[in-house]
Amino acid sequence: MRESSTSAGFTLIETLVALVIFVACYLLIHQSVSLGWRGVQVAQTEAAALRLAQARLASAGVDARLEEGQQTGQTPDGYNWSVQVQRYDHPGADGKVSRLGAYWVTIQVNWREGPLRTARSLQLTTLRLGAPP
């Protein structure tokens, strides 16, 4: 009687199919992690811009008297900001001078997320009370 010889290993096709499946899974996981990391970076830059805008908004009228005009500046980490103050003329004033004045305070923050990324911006506006001019 003759014994049939059976191979105990994998064939070349089976090995190649397993390798293709492994590479496809690796690429899928790599893309998912990269996309998640990019989302974290975007969230961090937006949070930093929001903190800057809130700090500028909180200091408007506290550090110095509110006056109409615009101020600009830049932070060391690349955020450009501008503060614009405009007098609010409330309806029904009819030219009367009140003891309190109101001002629209608008904070604009601009930044780039990288050398090849588009410019991003954030704007906050509030109405603040201050001494009349």
Side-chain angles (χ1 to χ4, degrees), residues 3 20 23 25 27-28 34 40-41 45 48 66 78 82 84 87-88 90 96-99 105 115 130:
E3 286 185 26
V20 167
V23 168
C25 291
L27 290 176
L28 181 66
S34 295
V40 167
Q41 289 175 331
T45 58
L66 285 175
S82 68
Q84 183 164 354
R87 182 143 176 80
Y88 171 73
H90 58 284
K96 299 177 194 171
V97 177
S98 67
R99 293 174 21 179
V105 180

Side-chain angles (χ1 to χ4, degrees), residues 9 37 39 64 79 87 106:
W37 181 248
Y79 293 93
R87 182 143 176 80
T106 302

Side-chain angles (χ1 to χ4, degrees), residues 32-82:
S32 299
V33 170
S34 295
L35 185 61
W37 181 248
R38 176 75 183 122
V40 167
Q41 289 175 331
V42 167
Q44 286 176 343
T45 58
E46 288 178 355
L50 183 60
R51 282 191 302 272
L52 173 64
Q54 287 174 334
R56 291 285 167 191
L57 196 61
S59 68
V62 175
D63 295 340
R65 183 177 172 177
L66 285 175
E67 294 178 357
E68 288 187 274
Q70 184 171 0
Q71 295 177 328
T72 60
Q74 184 174 7
T75 64
D77 49 351
Y79 293 93
N80 297 316
W81 57 268
S82 68

